[in-house]
Amino acid sequence: MSSSTTPRIKPPALRPGDTIGIAAPASNVKRGDLEAGCEAMRRAGYRPSYSDSILDQDLYFAGSVERRARELEEMFTREDVRAIVCARGGYGANYLLEALDLEKIKAHPKIFVGYSDVTALLTYFADAAGLVTFHGPMVAKDWAHEDGVDLASWEAALADTTAWEPALGAGSGASGLVEGAAEGILYGGCLSILVASLGTPYEIRTEGTILFLEDLAAKPFQIDRMLMQLKLAGKLDRVRGIVFGEMRDCVQIAHQGYTLEEVVQRIVGQLGVPVAYGVRSGHVTARNITLPIGVRAGLTVRGGQVSLRVLEGAVTEEGKS
């Protein structure tokens, strides 16, 4: 089943005063960063909650696979938790793919937010369980830093039940690479994690999507190689549009004589779909935009300008489907 035909389950909307469960499904977390992020969430009107075991460490992981899987399942089943936001990414979420009880998670649909290594869970929950998930700011990263969260898109994605559009005008960093207009299911995340799914039972489903791709500190030839792998695997054949993130620190050397935009255009420029670049979600310098994964979206690129419209609400009112 393709991502565009997977039935979608939308979680209940997030409201002021709601409890947000914090989970660490990947790398270990520093207490100071976690507390800074939680304090910012309190100022925004939410009640962050986490278990003491979130600070466990096993090598570079946030504790054992069993701890991380149990924590995440408990956050989904806890009646008082309205949304789940990951503390950080790093590495290790792929270990949970075989360890989680997907039926338990599917039976308790909730807002689930993260990016980077958490991409593995965002796409897994979207594809295998049909859940709408959210590519957006994490607690010990973006929430822990001043101006780290784009609150307008956070509130639109997690609280609004109608269509909306992130601000991608002048000063946003977004630009057009290939002109055109298309509609599809918004889908994707960290490029290296998406590519790592190929050949596994958790392989990404890109048919009919507006495919969002972003990464951090990957050299241009590495971005080239990963995009070529997606292309050779047929994962770009039936996408309807492509949106690149900020692609922070994705350079070879300071004065390399070419841009990453030129590199990616060699691969995606002839696909016949609109291509945008610089949408600030995921690994970003500031104001991380929240993007829903699994809902209908429209992409328009004209004269270098970009419009990315979320065509339906990603959440529901309590008790409504």
Side-chain angles (χ1 to χ4, degrees), residues 217-269:
K219 292 180 171 57
F221 78 88
Q222 294 171 321
I223 298 293
D224 186 317
R225 183 173 61 205
M226 289 188 283
L227 289 174
M228 280 300 297
Q229 188 170 354
L230 288 181
K231 183 177 182 180
L232 294 171
K235 294 301 178 180
L236 302 182
D237 289 351
R238 296 183 181 180
V239 299
R240 296 178 181 174
I242 299 176
V243 178
F244 286 92
E246 185 177 326
M247 310 305 285
R248 181 179 170 189
D249 298 331
C250 291
V251 295
Q252 179 77 35
I253 55 175
H255 305 289
Q256 59 193 19
Y258 57 87
T259 66
L260 186 57
E261 291 96 316
E262 291 174 304
V263 171
V264 301
Q265 269 192 297
R266 291 172 63 93
I267 302 161
V268 303

Side-chain angles (χ1 to χ4, degrees), residues 18-300:
D18 281 346
T19 296
I20 294 179
I22 314 302
S27 285
N28 59 290
V29 182
K30 294 181 180 179
R31 182 184 292 274
D33 293 337
L34 178 65
E35 284 301 329
C38 287
E39 181 55 33
M41 283 188 157
R42 292 185 190 99
R43 291 196 298 270
Y46 306 113
R47 299 177 180 176
S49 174
Y50 59 84
S51 66
D52 292 339
S53 66
I54 198 171
L55 296 173
D56 284 3
Q57 184 171 355
D58 178 9
L59 296 178
Y60 30 74
F61 305 115
S64 67
V65 173
E66 291 75 18
R67 189 215 72 80
R68 290 179 282 140
R70 183 182 67 251
E71 173 188 69
L72 193 52
E73 289 176 358
E74 287 178 353
M75 289 300 181
F76 271 99
T77 57
R78 272 179 55 179
E79 291 186 2
D80 62 318
V81 170
R82 185 78 167 200
I84 304 162
V85 181
C86 293
R88 62 164 299 187
Y91 173 66
N94 55 350
Y95 279 73
L96 273 59
L97 297 175
E98 295 181 313
L100 290 169
D101 184 340
L102 191 63
E103 290 305 312
K104 183 184 292 185
I105 290 171
K106 186 176 179 179
H108 301 86
K110 290 180 180 177
I111 290 167
F112 178 70
V113 188
Y115 64 94
S116 189
D117 189 67
V118 179
T119 293
L121 297 174
L122 297 178
T123 55
Y124 176 48
F125 293 163
D127 291 338
L131 299 179
V132 172
T133 56
F134 299 85
H135 189 271
M138 297 190 287
V139 182
K141 292 294 182 179
D142 314 275
W143 280 98
H145 300 289
E146 186 176 356
D147 207 27
V149 179
D150 180 75
L151 288 174
S153 63
W154 168 271
E155 292 170 359
L158 305 187
D160 288 355
T161 59
T162 58
W164 61 280
E165 182 175 346
L168 300 179
S172 71
S175 62
L177 294 186
V178 179
E179 294 199 348
E183 291 187 7
I185 298 297
L186 191 56
Y187 183 84
C190 184
L191 175 59
S192 56
I193 304 303
L194 298 173
V195 169
S197 77
L198 301 182
T200 75
Y202 312 97
E203 187 167 303
I204 55 171
R205 305 172 185 177
T206 59
E207 181 180 347
T209 64
I210 303 295
L211 183 60
F212 177 74
L213 303 171
E214 67 93 33
D215 219 315
L216 171 71
K219 292 180 171 57
F221 78 88
Q222 294 171 321
I223 298 293
D224 186 317
R225 183 173 61 205
M226 289 188 283
L227 289 174
M228 280 300 297
Q229 188 170 354
L230 288 181
K231 183 177 182 180
L232 294 171
K235 294 301 178 180
L236 302 182
D237 289 351
R238 296 183 181 180
V239 299
R240 296 178 181 174
I242 299 176
V243 178
F244 286 92
E246 185 177 326
M247 310 305 285
R248 181 179 170 189
D249 298 331
C250 291
V251 295
Q252 179 77 35
I253 55 175
H255 305 289
Q256 59 193 19
Y258 57 87
T259 66
L260 186 57
E261 291 96 316
E262 291 174 304
V263 171
V264 301
Q265 269 192 297
R266 291 172 63 93
I267 302 161
V268 303
Q270 306 303 317
L271 295 177
V273 301
V275 180
Y277 187 96
V279 173
R280 203 174 50 234
S281 181
H283 298 99
V284 298
T285 50
R287 297 183 297 282
N288 200 337
I289 291 172
T290 304
L291 296 176
I293 302 298
V295 299
R296 293 182 299 112
L299 173 65
T300 302

